[in-house]
Amino acid sequence: MAFAFDWSIKASETETVELNSNQFLRNSPAGSLGSYTTLNTDAEARTPTSKFNFRGDGTYKKYWGPGAAGTASEFLNYGFSARYEQREKTRFDREYVEASWRQQSTALALLNDLGVSVPTSGFIDRLTATGGVDRSITAIDTVSLLATSSRTSYEPSSGGTPFTDTLVRGNWRRALSSVTAINVSSEYELLEYGNSFNTQVQIFRDQVGFDATLSAVLSFRANAGVAYLVTDRGVSTSSFGGVTSATPVSSSLVDWIGDAVLTYRMLKSTTLSVTASQSVGPSVVGSLFKRDSVIASLSHSINARSTLSFSASGNRQISTTTTDYASASATYSYNLTREWLASATYRYLHRFASSGTAIFDPITGTPTVSGTGPADSHSLMFVVTHNWTVLPSGN
């Protein structure tokens, strides 16, 4: 049996320069200069009913100036993934499997996910396997099943608490009309930590929601439900902190979760989007967080080449401390050519004073906030991206 594949390879390179008054949100601000280089590549092989993708990416970050003193000034983040997808007779029906591996600086992972700056070295390694099935069971009903598991470890091994994160999700969607549908989803997540107690956390999430295209310019989507957390052999009386115990303890917690998205096309070239969400789950290092966020963005196409966008957001992170953040940004993007894109962004970020005094997660031992006091940062970021085709499709 012979297989004929249509091969293509695409790549991109991004160079970024950032001037920041307080890059790491310290209580005593100082300026810094950051330089970031990112490389991406995507090799794809297609047949009429399947495709295989192999992707690789890497980012190197370097900081200079008094604002980077006392912390790691160089960060590396790179990874690879392979995905195979088989499509069936209808557009929605498919099966897929994916495997990925990623290594990133521990300090960079904490900074990107939690906004926490720590003077640490070493790397986080994450190996992930994923598989899923999407099916149209009737003309108006679709079902999706997904299973994924990742193993997070550290180099050196003393750099953090290793853990395994396994999640299974099922989703059912029914179209009530051409513009309205309802969604029902259920998730089970198991977190297994390699600490002294071998702590386990189970998270059950159940949600129901709908999406509606209210008009040619207005659409709305919302989901809401509950999250039930069960901690076994924990080191705290609560999954979100509490009094640390010297002996294993068990606990449970119930909270609501949800998300909503409103999209309004105000003008032919202007779109407003408002998003709100509340979630409960692990961070990149396994520490548990409850996160609330509200984001509003406005995008305006000035002409075929340039775009102006504005964004404002507020979010709250709850773990061993409760910390609120507010930010606002403005971005101007310009397509220099078909392959070259340039942009300039100004961003303001404020961290309010935290409530609570325990800044370390009791299960993983990692910090949950850079500081308990308020902090501000002003940032100017200039970005140039080059996209090119190494091998066009048709080979």
PDB file of all heavy atoms in Angstrom, residues 291-322:
ATOM      1  N   ARG A 291      -9.180  31.573  39.957  1.00  0.00           N
ATOM      2  CA  ARG A 291      -8.898  32.781  39.194  1.00  0.00           C
ATOM      3  C   ARG A 291     -10.188  33.379  38.641  1.00  0.00           C
ATOM      4  O   ARG A 291     -10.981  32.684  38.009  1.00  0.00           O
ATOM      5  CB  ARG A 291      -7.932  32.475  38.044  1.00  0.00           C
ATOM      6  CG  ARG A 291      -6.648  31.800  38.502  1.00  0.00           C
ATOM      7  CD  ARG A 291      -5.643  31.695  37.391  1.00  0.00           C
ATOM      8  NE  ARG A 291      -4.494  30.871  37.773  1.00  0.00           N
ATOM      9  CZ  ARG A 291      -3.334  30.855  37.133  1.00  0.00           C
ATOM     10  NH1 ARG A 291      -3.151  31.611  36.077  1.00  0.00           N
ATOM     11  NH2 ARG A 291      -2.351  30.087  37.538  1.00  0.00           N
ATOM     12  N   ASP A 292     -10.367  34.665  38.899  1.00  0.00           N
ATOM     13  CA  ASP A 292     -11.485  35.434  38.349  1.00  0.00           C
ATOM     14  C   ASP A 292     -10.908  36.486  37.414  1.00  0.00           C
ATOM     15  O   ASP A 292      -9.897  37.125  37.734  1.00  0.00           O
ATOM     16  CB  ASP A 292     -12.275  36.143  39.453  1.00  0.00           C
ATOM     17  CG  ASP A 292     -12.800  35.179  40.502  1.00  0.00           C
ATOM     18  OD1 ASP A 292     -13.093  34.035  40.138  1.00  0.00           O
ATOM     19  OD2 ASP A 292     -12.898  35.572  41.676  1.00  0.00           O
ATOM     20  N   SER A 293     -11.543  36.688  36.264  1.00  0.00           N
ATOM     21  CA  SER A 293     -11.032  37.684  35.331  1.00  0.00           C
ATOM     22  C   SER A 293     -12.158  38.298  34.515  1.00  0.00           C
ATOM     23  O   SER A 293     -13.170  37.648  34.229  1.00  0.00           O
ATOM     24  CB  SER A 293      -9.990  37.072  34.390  1.00  0.00           C
ATOM     25  OG  SER A 293     -10.587  36.134  33.520  1.00  0.00           O
ATOM     26  N   VAL A 294     -11.965  39.581  34.164  1.00  0.00           N
ATOM     27  CA  VAL A 294     -12.842  40.295  33.243  1.00  0.00           C
ATOM     28  C   VAL A 294     -11.931  41.027  32.261  1.00  0.00           C
ATOM     29  O   VAL A 294     -11.014  41.750  32.674  1.00  0.00           O
ATOM     30  CB  VAL A 294     -13.752  41.300  33.971  1.00  0.00           C
ATOM     31  CG1 VAL A 294     -14.588  42.072  32.960  1.00  0.00           C
ATOM     32  CG2 VAL A 294     -14.642  40.594  34.972  1.00  0.00           C
ATOM     33  N   ILE A 295     -12.161  40.818  30.963  1.00  0.00           N
ATOM     34  CA  ILE A 295     -11.314  41.402  29.927  1.00  0.00           C
ATOM     35  C   ILE A 295     -12.205  42.052  28.874  1.00  0.00           C
ATOM     36  O   ILE A 295     -13.166  41.434  28.396  1.00  0.00           O
ATOM     37  CB  ILE A 295     -10.417  40.342  29.259  1.00  0.00           C
ATOM     38  CG1 ILE A 295      -9.566  39.620  30.301  1.00  0.00           C
ATOM     39  CG2 ILE A 295      -9.522  40.974  28.195  1.00  0.00           C
ATOM     40  CD1 ILE A 295      -8.818  38.419  29.748  1.00  0.00           C
ATOM     41  N   ALA A 296     -11.874  43.282  28.514  1.00  0.00           N
ATOM     42  CA  ALA A 296     -12.567  43.980  27.429  1.00  0.00           C
ATOM     43  C   ALA A 296     -11.526  44.393  26.393  1.00  0.00           C
ATOM     44  O   ALA A 296     -10.465  44.922  26.746  1.00  0.00           O
ATOM     45  CB  ALA A 296     -13.306  45.201  27.949  1.00  0.00           C
ATOM     46  N   SER A 297     -11.811  44.124  25.128  1.00  0.00           N
ATOM     47  CA  SER A 297     -10.875  44.489  24.062  1.00  0.00           C
ATOM     48  C   SER A 297     -11.632  45.112  22.899  1.00  0.00           C
ATOM     49  O   SER A 297     -12.768  44.730  22.602  1.00  0.00           O
ATOM     50  CB  SER A 297     -10.086  43.266  23.578  1.00  0.00           C
ATOM     51  OG  SER A 297     -10.961  42.286  23.043  1.00  0.00           O
ATOM     52  N   LEU A 298     -10.972  46.073  22.271  1.00  0.00           N
ATOM     53  CA  LEU A 298     -11.542  46.771  21.125  1.00  0.00           C
ATOM     54  C   LEU A 298     -10.509  46.766  20.010  1.00  0.00           C
ATOM     55  O   LEU A 298      -9.366  47.196  20.201  1.00  0.00           O
ATOM     56  CB  LEU A 298     -11.903  48.211  21.500  1.00  0.00           C
ATOM     57  CG  LEU A 298     -12.539  49.073  20.409  1.00  0.00           C
ATOM     58  CD1 LEU A 298     -13.944  48.578  20.093  1.00  0.00           C
ATOM     59  CD2 LEU A 298     -12.567  50.540  20.849  1.00  0.00           C
ATOM     60  N   SER A 299     -10.892  46.241  18.841  1.00  0.00           N
ATOM     61  CA  SER A 299      -9.981  46.155  17.707  1.00  0.00           C
ATOM     62  C   SER A 299     -10.558  46.929  16.524  1.00  0.00           C
ATOM     63  O   SER A 299     -11.735  46.762  16.176  1.00  0.00           O
ATOM     64  CB  SER A 299      -9.771  44.690  17.318  1.00  0.00           C
ATOM     65  OG  SER A 299      -8.947  44.577  16.178  1.00  0.00           O
ATOM     66  N   HIS A 300      -9.711  47.783  15.925  1.00  0.00           N
ATOM     67  CA  HIS A 300     -10.145  48.601  14.788  1.00  0.00           C
ATOM     68  C   HIS A 300      -9.146  48.474  13.648  1.00  0.00           C
ATOM     69  O   HIS A 300      -7.949  48.721  13.823  1.00  0.00           O
ATOM     70  CB  HIS A 300     -10.266  50.068  15.199  1.00  0.00           C
ATOM     71  CG  HIS A 300     -10.563  50.994  14.063  1.00  0.00           C
ATOM     72  ND1 HIS A 300     -11.769  50.976  13.390  1.00  0.00           N
ATOM     73  CD2 HIS A 300      -9.805  51.959  13.462  1.00  0.00           C
ATOM     74  CE1 HIS A 300     -11.744  51.887  12.435  1.00  0.00           C
ATOM     75  NE2 HIS A 300     -10.568  52.499  12.449  1.00  0.00           N
ATOM     76  N   SER A 301      -9.633  48.055  12.487  1.00  0.00           N
ATOM     77  CA  SER A 301      -8.797  47.979  11.288  1.00  0.00           C
ATOM     78  C   SER A 301      -8.781  49.337  10.604  1.00  0.00           C
ATOM     79  O   SER A 301      -9.805  49.789  10.073  1.00  0.00           O
ATOM     80  CB  SER A 301      -9.332  46.905  10.332  1.00  0.00           C
ATOM     81  OG  SER A 301      -9.257  45.624  10.913  1.00  0.00           O
ATOM     82  N   ILE A 302      -7.629  49.981  10.649  1.00  0.00           N
ATOM     83  CA  ILE A 302      -7.507  51.308  10.052  1.00  0.00           C
ATOM     84  C   ILE A 302      -7.567  51.215   8.535  1.00  0.00           C
ATOM     85  O   ILE A 302      -8.265  51.975   7.868  1.00  0.00           O
ATOM     86  CB  ILE A 302      -6.204  51.969  10.516  1.00  0.00           C
ATOM     87  CG1 ILE A 302      -6.206  52.092  12.042  1.00  0.00           C
ATOM     88  CG2 ILE A 302      -6.013  53.330   9.858  1.00  0.00           C
ATOM     89  CD1 ILE A 302      -4.890  52.578  12.618  1.00  0.00           C
ATOM     90  N   ASN A 303      -6.818  50.259   7.992  1.00  0.00           N
ATOM     91  CA  ASN A 303      -6.841  49.980   6.559  1.00  0.00           C
ATOM     92  C   ASN A 303      -6.375  48.542   6.367  1.00  0.00           C
ATOM     93  O   ASN A 303      -6.297  47.776   7.335  1.00  0.00           O
ATOM     94  CB  ASN A 303      -5.966  50.973   5.777  1.00  0.00           C
ATOM     95  CG  ASN A 303      -4.563  51.087   6.361  1.00  0.00           C
ATOM     96  OD1 ASN A 303      -3.924  50.072   6.665  1.00  0.00           O
ATOM     97  ND2 ASN A 303      -4.083  52.320   6.519  1.00  0.00           N
ATOM     98  N   ALA A 304      -6.076  48.166   5.135  1.00  0.00           N
ATOM     99  CA  ALA A 304      -5.712  46.777   4.857  1.00  0.00           C
ATOM    100  C   ALA A 304      -4.408  46.355   5.542  1.00  0.00           C
ATOM    101  O   ALA A 304      -4.160  45.166   5.724  1.00  0.00           O
ATOM    102  CB  ALA A 304      -5.591  46.563   3.348  1.00  0.00           C
ATOM    103  N   ARG A 305      -3.593  47.326   5.943  1.00  0.00           N
ATOM    104  CA  ARG A 305      -2.293  47.003   6.510  1.00  0.00           C
ATOM    105  C   ARG A 305      -2.163  47.250   8.003  1.00  0.00           C
ATOM    106  O   ARG A 305      -1.335  46.634   8.662  1.00  0.00           O
ATOM    107  CB  ARG A 305      -1.194  47.795   5.786  1.00  0.00           C
ATOM    108  CG  ARG A 305      -0.868  47.305   4.398  1.00  0.00           C
ATOM    109  CD  ARG A 305       0.428  47.909   3.908  1.00  0.00           C
ATOM    110  NE  ARG A 305       0.920  47.267   2.707  1.00  0.00           N
ATOM    111  CZ  ARG A 305       2.121  47.483   2.191  1.00  0.00           C
ATOM    112  NH1 ARG A 305       2.936  48.344   2.788  1.00  0.00           N
ATOM    113  NH2 ARG A 305       2.495  46.867   1.094  1.00  0.00           N
ATOM    114  N   SER A 306      -2.943  48.123   8.565  1.00  0.00           N
ATOM    115  CA  SER A 306      -2.716  48.528   9.947  1.00  0.00           C
ATOM    116  C   SER A 306      -3.955  48.314  10.815  1.00  0.00           C
ATOM    117  O   SER A 306      -5.095  48.434  10.354  1.00  0.00           O
ATOM    118  CB  SER A 306      -2.278  49.989  10.011  1.00  0.00           C
ATOM    119  OG  SER A 306      -3.230  50.822   9.381  1.00  0.00           O
ATOM    120  N   THR A 307      -3.687  48.000  12.098  1.00  0.00           N
ATOM    121  CA  THR A 307      -4.739  47.732  13.065  1.00  0.00           C
ATOM    122  C   THR A 307      -4.391  48.412  14.385  1.00  0.00           C
ATOM    123  O   THR A 307      -3.229  48.410  14.811  1.00  0.00           O
ATOM    124  CB  THR A 307      -4.896  46.217  13.306  1.00  0.00           C
ATOM    125  OG1 THR A 307      -5.194  45.576  12.070  1.00  0.00           O
ATOM    126  CG2 THR A 307      -6.004  45.928  14.298  1.00  0.00           C
ATOM    127  N   LEU A 308      -5.398  48.959  15.036  1.00  0.00           N
ATOM    128  CA  LEU A 308      -5.237  49.560  16.349  1.00  0.00           C
ATOM    129  C   LEU A 308      -6.148  48.828  17.327  1.00  0.00           C
ATOM    130  O   LEU A 308      -7.335  48.636  17.052  1.00  0.00           O
ATOM    131  CB  LEU A 308      -5.603  51.046  16.303  1.00  0.00           C
ATOM    132  CG  LEU A 308      -5.390  51.866  17.572  1.00  0.00           C
ATOM    133  CD1 LEU A 308      -3.921  51.895  17.966  1.00  0.00           C
ATOM    134  CD2 LEU A 308      -5.934  53.282  17.390  1.00  0.00           C
ATOM    135  N   SER A 309      -5.595  48.405  18.468  1.00  0.00           N
ATOM    136  CA  SER A 309      -6.398  47.661  19.435  1.00  0.00           C
ATOM    137  C   SER A 309      -6.133  48.159  20.854  1.00  0.00           C
ATOM    138  O   SER A 309      -5.021  48.617  21.176  1.00  0.00           O
ATOM    139  CB  SER A 309      -6.094  46.159  19.349  1.00  0.00           C
ATOM    140  OG  SER A 309      -4.731  45.898  19.612  1.00  0.00           O
ATOM    141  N   PHE A 310      -7.172  48.069  21.687  1.00  0.00           N
ATOM    142  CA  PHE A 310      -7.103  48.469  23.091  1.00  0.00           C
ATOM    143  C   PHE A 310      -7.631  47.316  23.945  1.00  0.00           C
ATOM    144  O   PHE A 310      -8.531  46.583  23.532  1.00  0.00           O
ATOM    145  CB  PHE A 310      -7.943  49.723  23.343  1.00  0.00           C
ATOM    146  CG  PHE A 310      -7.539  50.910  22.521  1.00  0.00           C
ATOM    147  CD1 PHE A 310      -8.132  51.137  21.281  1.00  0.00           C
ATOM    148  CD2 PHE A 310      -6.571  51.782  22.971  1.00  0.00           C
ATOM    149  CE1 PHE A 310      -7.771  52.234  20.514  1.00  0.00           C
ATOM    150  CE2 PHE A 310      -6.193  52.885  22.202  1.00  0.00           C
ATOM    151  CZ  PHE A 310      -6.795  53.108  20.974  1.00  0.00           C
ATOM    152  N   SER A 311      -7.076  47.191  25.133  1.00  0.00           N
ATOM    153  CA  SER A 311      -7.500  46.127  26.033  1.00  0.00           C
ATOM    154  C   SER A 311      -7.413  46.609  27.469  1.00  0.00           C
ATOM    155  O   SER A 311      -6.490  47.352  27.835  1.00  0.00           O
ATOM    156  CB  SER A 311      -6.631  44.884  25.842  1.00  0.00           C
ATOM    157  OG  SER A 311      -6.991  43.861  26.754  1.00  0.00           O
ATOM    158  N   ALA A 312      -8.372  46.187  28.302  1.00  0.00           N
ATOM    159  CA  ALA A 312      -8.362  46.473  29.732  1.00  0.00           C
ATOM    160  C   ALA A 312      -8.839  45.216  30.458  1.00  0.00           C
ATOM    161  O   ALA A 312      -9.740  44.513  29.977  1.00  0.00           O
ATOM    162  CB  ALA A 312      -9.258  47.653  30.064  1.00  0.00           C
ATOM    163  N   SER A 313      -8.218  44.923  31.579  1.00  0.00           N
ATOM    164  CA  SER A 313      -8.585  43.703  32.291  1.00  0.00           C
ATOM    165  C   SER A 313      -8.413  43.872  33.789  1.00  0.00           C
ATOM    166  O   SER A 313      -7.631  44.717  34.256  1.00  0.00           O
ATOM    167  CB  SER A 313      -7.725  42.520  31.816  1.00  0.00           C
ATOM    168  OG  SER A 313      -6.375  42.692  32.210  1.00  0.00           O
ATOM    169  N   GLY A 314      -9.153  43.072  34.526  1.00  0.00           N
ATOM    170  CA  GLY A 314      -8.995  42.960  35.969  1.00  0.00           C
ATOM    171  C   GLY A 314      -9.089  41.502  36.336  1.00  0.00           C
ATOM    172  O   GLY A 314      -9.927  40.774  35.784  1.00  0.00           O
ATOM    173  N   ASN A 315      -8.213  41.025  37.192  1.00  0.00           N
ATOM    174  CA  ASN A 315      -8.287  39.625  37.592  1.00  0.00           C
ATOM    175  C   ASN A 315      -7.849  39.457  39.034  1.00  0.00           C
ATOM    176  O   ASN A 315      -7.123  40.289  39.592  1.00  0.00           O
ATOM    177  CB  ASN A 315      -7.454  38.733  36.658  1.00  0.00           C
ATOM    178  CG  ASN A 315      -5.977  39.000  36.753  1.00  0.00           C
ATOM    179  OD1 ASN A 315      -5.306  38.527  37.666  1.00  0.00           O
ATOM    180  ND2 ASN A 315      -5.441  39.766  35.812  1.00  0.00           N
ATOM    181  N   ARG A 316      -8.323  38.362  39.614  1.00  0.00           N
ATOM    182  CA  ARG A 316      -8.021  38.022  41.007  1.00  0.00           C
ATOM    183  C   ARG A 316      -7.489  36.594  41.058  1.00  0.00           C
ATOM    184  O   ARG A 316      -8.068  35.682  40.457  1.00  0.00           O
ATOM    185  CB  ARG A 316      -9.264  38.169  41.870  1.00  0.00           C
ATOM    186  CG  ARG A 316      -9.135  37.574  43.270  1.00  0.00           C
ATOM    187  CD  ARG A 316     -10.316  37.929  44.144  1.00  0.00           C
ATOM    188  NE  ARG A 316     -10.295  39.365  44.494  1.00  0.00           N
ATOM    189  CZ  ARG A 316     -11.211  39.937  45.275  1.00  0.00           C
ATOM    190  NH1 ARG A 316     -12.214  39.224  45.754  1.00  0.00           N
ATOM    191  NH2 ARG A 316     -11.127  41.235  45.549  1.00  0.00           N
ATOM    192  N   GLN A 317      -6.387  36.412  41.783  1.00  0.00           N
ATOM    193  CA  GLN A 317      -5.815  35.087  42.022  1.00  0.00           C
ATOM    194  C   GLN A 317      -5.931  34.770  43.499  1.00  0.00           C
ATOM    195  O   GLN A 317      -5.480  35.548  44.350  1.00  0.00           O
ATOM    196  CB  GLN A 317      -4.337  35.043  41.594  1.00  0.00           C
ATOM    197  CG  GLN A 317      -4.132  35.165  40.113  1.00  0.00           C
ATOM    198  CD  GLN A 317      -2.665  34.973  39.712  1.00  0.00           C
ATOM    199  OE1 GLN A 317      -2.358  34.810  38.542  1.00  0.00           O
ATOM    200  NE2 GLN A 317      -1.761  34.996  40.670  1.00  0.00           N
ATOM    201  N   ILE A 318      -6.537  33.614  43.783  1.00  0.00           N
ATOM    202  CA  ILE A 318      -6.730  33.199  45.175  1.00  0.00           C
ATOM    203  C   ILE A 318      -6.005  31.880  45.393  1.00  0.00           C
ATOM    204  O   ILE A 318      -6.277  30.884  44.729  1.00  0.00           O
ATOM    205  CB  ILE A 318      -8.225  33.031  45.509  1.00  0.00           C
ATOM    206  CG1 ILE A 318      -8.981  34.343  45.256  1.00  0.00           C
ATOM    207  CG2 ILE A 318      -8.400  32.601  46.962  1.00  0.00           C
ATOM    208  CD1 ILE A 318     -10.472  34.219  45.450  1.00  0.00           C
ATOM    209  N   SER A 319      -5.072  31.887  46.316  1.00  0.00           N
ATOM    210  CA  SER A 319      -4.373  30.668  46.731  1.00  0.00           C
ATOM    211  C   SER A 319      -4.082  30.812  48.210  1.00  0.00           C
ATOM    212  O   SER A 319      -5.006  30.906  49.015  1.00  0.00           O
ATOM    213  CB  SER A 319      -3.098  30.466  45.915  1.00  0.00           C
ATOM    214  OG  SER A 319      -2.458  29.255  46.275  1.00  0.00           O
ATOM    215  N   THR A 320      -2.812  30.851  48.598  1.00  0.00           N
ATOM    216  CA  THR A 320      -2.497  31.134  49.992  1.00  0.00           C
ATOM    217  C   THR A 320      -2.690  32.608  50.300  1.00  0.00           C
ATOM    218  O   THR A 320      -2.774  32.999  51.454  1.00  0.00           O
ATOM    219  CB  THR A 320      -1.041  30.739  50.282  1.00  0.00           C
ATOM    220  OG1 THR A 320      -0.182  31.430  49.354  1.00  0.00           O
ATOM    221  CG2 THR A 320      -0.836  29.246  50.101  1.00  0.00           C
ATOM    222  N   THR A 321      -2.729  33.439  49.262  1.00  0.00           N
ATOM    223  CA  THR A 321      -3.062  34.858  49.380  1.00  0.00           C
ATOM    224  C   THR A 321      -4.111  35.189  48.334  1.00  0.00           C
ATOM    225  O   THR A 321      -4.327  34.420  47.384  1.00  0.00           O
ATOM    226  CB  THR A 321      -1.820  35.750  49.141  1.00  0.00           C
ATOM    227  OG1 THR A 321      -1.313  35.480  47.825  1.00  0.00           O
ATOM    228  CG2 THR A 321      -0.733  35.485  50.174  1.00  0.00           C
ATOM    229  N   THR A 322      -4.759  36.326  48.519  1.00  0.00           N
ATOM    230  CA  THR A 322      -5.688  36.842  47.516  1.00  0.00           C
ATOM    231  C   THR A 322      -5.072  38.107  46.925  1.00  0.00           C
ATOM    232  O   THR A 322      -4.798  39.066  47.657  1.00  0.00           O
ATOM    233  CB  THR A 322      -7.054  37.157  48.129  1.00  0.00           C
ATOM    234  OG1 THR A 322      -7.636  35.955  48.635  1.00  0.00           O
ATOM    235  CG2 THR A 322      -7.987  37.752  47.084  1.00  0.00           C
TER     236      THR A 322
END
